[in-house]
Amino acid sequence: MAVLERPRTPRAGTARAVGLTLALTATVIWSGNFVIARALHATVPPVQTAFWRWIVALVAVAPLTLPEVRRQWPAVRRHLPHLAGAALLGVTLFNTLIYQAGRTTSATNMAMIAAGSPLLIAAFDRLGRRRATPAPDGAPDDGAPLGARRLAGMLLALAGVVVLVGGGSPAALARLDLAPGDLWMLAATATFAGYSALLRRRPDGIGQRAYLFMTFALGAAMLLPAYGVSLAVEGGFPLTAATAGPLLYIGVLSSAVAFFTWNKAIALVGAARAGVVYYLQPVCVALLSYAVLGEGAGAVQVVCMALIVAGVVLGAGGGR
């Protein structure tokens, strides 16, 4: 008996378009985060950067999120283990590991390792087959196979990223040396993938805003002991325009705005499909470098960016 595929409804198409736009918004903002993080590298220790990032984020989101937290407190208290796990992966560890990695590895190595995020997101998403809340119409089924189309798009985008960070030279890729920072970045990539997959299992009774506030608050609380150690060992940092400005960016935009849009994107289109959009980050960084620093792009970079965009369009589009 032939099985007819349910036709895509306008509502499903709208949800997918909104979800992909939100995923792209988060990716663009996080691209700027890497530039800002480099600006703080010599003046603010990694743990202190992460801690104050989340304090700023909490202040920014509190007026909009605390009313929902109060209304949903019984569900929040009941699902504290899930919230703590999401906070540990996405807040306490992820960006702290990135800031730590930047101390002992090159940007090329970091970009190469970060390119594995979408593949890990898809793999972890397969492990989280049971959903705590039903997905909107048109959202991918966590338990369904990844599909040839999406897998092909992911691999095409990954190929573009690999060639881009290698400058089109196989020899350049072969010369990549493993540094301690590479291991830190690998750990950061894995934590982000785990966090993204965990979002698809957000418990019933906890809205997006309450989820955001609680993960920020729990993640910052988990960072507090490490922050105290960093103060004792490394000392504080001067509060100047050169440090306050970047901290406001990563606290308000890279945290409050980007995490909300990323979480909402995953709720709409799923972790695997949103993860494909994450491949656009090297393209976004290149465009930001051109706009801010005036750095041009050669023929190899243009071709690689085209491969990445084509892979994202193929993997994030409708169908499997």
Side-chain angles (χ1 to χ4, degrees):
M1 177 182 296
V3 179
L4 297 178
E5 182 179 353
R6 183 177 61 182
R8 187 177 66 178
T9 64
R11 179 183 174 187
T14 300
R16 178 158 45 245
V18 171
L20 294 177
T21 300
L22 291 173
L24 177 61
T25 300
T27 299
V28 171
I29 294 173
W30 280 329
S31 298
N33 177 47
F34 282 100
V35 178
I36 294 297
R38 292 299 297 171
L40 294 176
H41 168 68
T43 54
V44 186
V47 171
Q48 295 181 41
T49 300
F51 178 78
W52 284 110
R53 167 182 180 158
W54 299 114
I55 295 301
V56 171
L58 276 171
V59 173
V61 304
L64 296 175
T65 57
L66 278 177
E68 185 171 280
V69 172
R70 285 195 292 267
R71 289 194 304 269
Q72 300 173 357
W73 181 248
V76 168
R77 185 173 54 189
R78 187 166 59 252
H79 295 290
L80 275 178
H82 171 98
L83 291 166
L88 178 65
L89 293 174
V91 175
T92 305
L93 294 178
F94 173 49
N95 286 280
T96 307
L97 291 171
I98 288 179
Y99 301 141
Q100 183 65 36
R103 287 187 153 189
T104 54
T105 192
S106 67
T108 299
N109 281 30
M110 290 177 70
M112 171 74 83
I113 296 169
S117 288
L119 289 175
L120 283 177
I121 289 172
F124 289 174
D125 198 32
R126 298 305 96 192
L127 297 177
R129 292 173 181 267
R130 182 182 62 83
R131 274 198 304 264
T133 57
D137 291 340
D141 185 356
D142 289 349
L146 188 58
R149 173 172 174 162
R150 201 176 305 166
L151 181 60
M154 293 169 64
L155 294 177
L156 181 61
L158 179 60
V161 171
V162 170
V163 178
L164 177 63
V165 299
S169 169
L173 296 176
R175 287 196 299 269
L176 290 174
D177 297 320
L178 186 66
D182 297 328
L183 300 178
W184 290 117
M185 191 62 207
L186 182 61
T189 300
T191 60
F192 179 71
Y195 169 77
S196 296
L198 192 60
L199 288 178
R200 281 298 271 178
R201 297 160 63 185
R202 178 167 54 90
D204 287 326
I206 301 180
Q208 291 282 346
R209 293 180 181 182
Y211 195 94
L212 197 72
F213 180 87
M214 289 305 302
T215 52
F216 284 7
L218 291 170
M222 293 180 199
L223 271 171
L224 188 57
Y227 175 73
V229 172
S230 177
L231 278 179
V233 175
E234 301 173 285
F237 62 89
L239 186 61
T240 65
T243 56
L247 285 173
L248 284 174
Y249 178 94
I250 62 176
V252 176
L253 293 179
S254 293
S255 300
V257 175
F259 270 74
F260 178 81
T261 55
W262 183 258
N263 293 5
K264 185 65 175 178
I266 288 179
L268 289 172
V269 300
R273 183 169 281 154
V276 176
V277 178
Y278 193 75
Y279 274 124
L280 286 173
Q281 190 163 98
V283 178
C284 296
V285 171
L287 294 175
L288 285 173
S289 297
Y290 174 77
V292 176
L293 304 176
E295 296 179 352
V300 171
Q301 285 75 20
V302 172
V303 171
C304 292
M305 290 179 196
L307 284 174
I308 294 170
V309 172
V312 169
V313 171
L314 178 64
R320 295 188 182 279

